[in-house]
Amino acid sequence: MTYNTLLVGRTRSGKSLYAKMKILRILERTGKHAIIIDPQDEYTEYMKTSKKELISDLQEFKIVRYIPRGKTIKKKVDDVDDLYYTICHKVRNCYIIVDEAPKVGGQQHRISGGLDMLVSGCLKFGLKCVLITQRLSMIDKNISGNCTCKILFKAEEDIDWERVRKYSEEAWKFLKFESKGQLPYVVVKNGDVVKKCHCLLEELKNKGMIQ
């Protein structure tokens, strides 16, 4: 990837499977470095790191995850925002995977300073971001505006479907009415649909990535 990516879909739509199998697994195979912001402690197959050990762990393990600390969303955002600034200033040639982005600084109209800097300036820092969310309507527009690529799974609410439709009428029509398989998705780059898939599971099976 040479661009920022927004990965969107409702619960159990396939977006987490896509992130693990078609993004992280490929980064792993090609020896790329990645930092996962993991607020729900979901990516347990990867090394958990701390702010203090981030740089050394990244060099040793290549792919690491950070779990934001705090009992409330505000405290988690305050905690992880320091890490975003650290990444901007000290990390290069790395992928940043931000899961549940609205809960860790990407909420609409409330984007944190560190995440704003990361998403807006990551390419000049030699970084590439993948931001994951269930709800398009909850993600800040500065994030979506700085993501050249949008990988769209089925949406949650009507307002989210309308956002999909604004991105691409073709993608909206395919996901809402035309797709026939399980876990369909569409890839949109610069406003153009470049891929439509009826079933992520079948695609992964055909490529030998799952049994």
Side-chain angles (χ1 to χ4, degrees), residues 4 16 19 22 24 49 53 57 67 113 128 133 136 147 157 172 174 191 202:
N4 291 334
S16 294
K22 296 204 70 178
L24 284 164
T49 191
E53 303 297 330
D57 283 346
I67 302 173
K128 300 175 185 68
T133 180
L136 265 176
C147 290
E157 305 284 350
W172 171 79
F174 175 79
E202 286 300 319

Side-chain angles (χ1 to χ4, degrees), residues 5-9 13 18 149-154 161 164 167-176 178-179 183-189 191-200 203:
T5 297
L6 183 62
L7 177 54
V8 187
S13 65
Y18 189 102
C149 178
K150 296 173 176 68
I151 302 168
L152 306 171
F153 287 80
K154 284 184 175 288
W161 278 114
V164 171
Y167 289 151
S168 168
E169 182 86 14
E170 183 181 352
W172 171 79
K173 187 181 295 184
F174 175 79
L175 290 170
K176 199 165 177 66
E178 298 174 356
S179 57
L183 312 183
Y185 71 91
V186 178
V187 180
V188 180
K189 292 181 183 176
D192 296 322
V193 171
V194 297
K195 181 175 182 178
K196 292 188 283 190
C197 176
H198 283 278
C199 182
L200 173 61
E203 181 183 47

Side-chain angles (χ1 to χ4, degrees), residues 26-139:
I26 291 172
L27 294 179
E28 204 172 344
R29 287 177 178 173
T30 55
K32 304 293 186 184
H33 290 85
I35 300 168
I36 306 164
I37 308 301
D38 187 14
Q40 295 186 318
D41 195 10
E42 181 178 346
Y43 297 82
T44 54
E45 59 267 49
Y46 298 104
M47 177 69 182
K48 184 165 66 174
T49 191
S50 65
K51 292 179 184 177
K52 184 177 180 180
E53 303 297 330
L54 173 67
I55 303 301
S56 58
D57 283 346
L58 190 61
Q59 291 174 343
E60 181 176 356
F61 298 100
K62 291 190 180 293
I63 299 179
V64 298
R65 65 191 181 106
Y66 179 79
I67 302 173
R69 300 173 63 185
K71 294 183 178 180
T72 66
I73 289 178
K74 184 181 184 306
K75 288 184 177 180
K76 287 183 179 180
V77 170
D78 289 343
D79 175 69
V80 77
D81 211 40
D82 292 335
L83 188 67
Y84 293 142
Y85 283 115
T86 298
I87 291 170
C88 289
H89 293 302
K90 295 186 177 182
V91 177
R92 295 293 180 268
N93 301 315
C94 185
Y95 290 81
I96 315 300
I97 318 294
V98 183
D99 197 23
E100 297 292 342
K103 297 180 181 179
V104 284
Q107 186 175 352
Q108 187 171 359
H109 307 307
R110 296 182 182 178
I111 188 169
S112 67
L115 186 56
D116 192 15
M117 175 183 284
L118 179 62
V119 173
S120 300
C122 66
L123 296 180
K124 72 180 179 182
F125 299 135
L127 307 171
K128 300 175 185 68
C129 293
V130 178
L131 298 113
I132 306 170
T133 180
Q134 294 181 23
R135 302 285 310 277
L136 265 176
S137 59
M138 294 181 66
I139 201 80

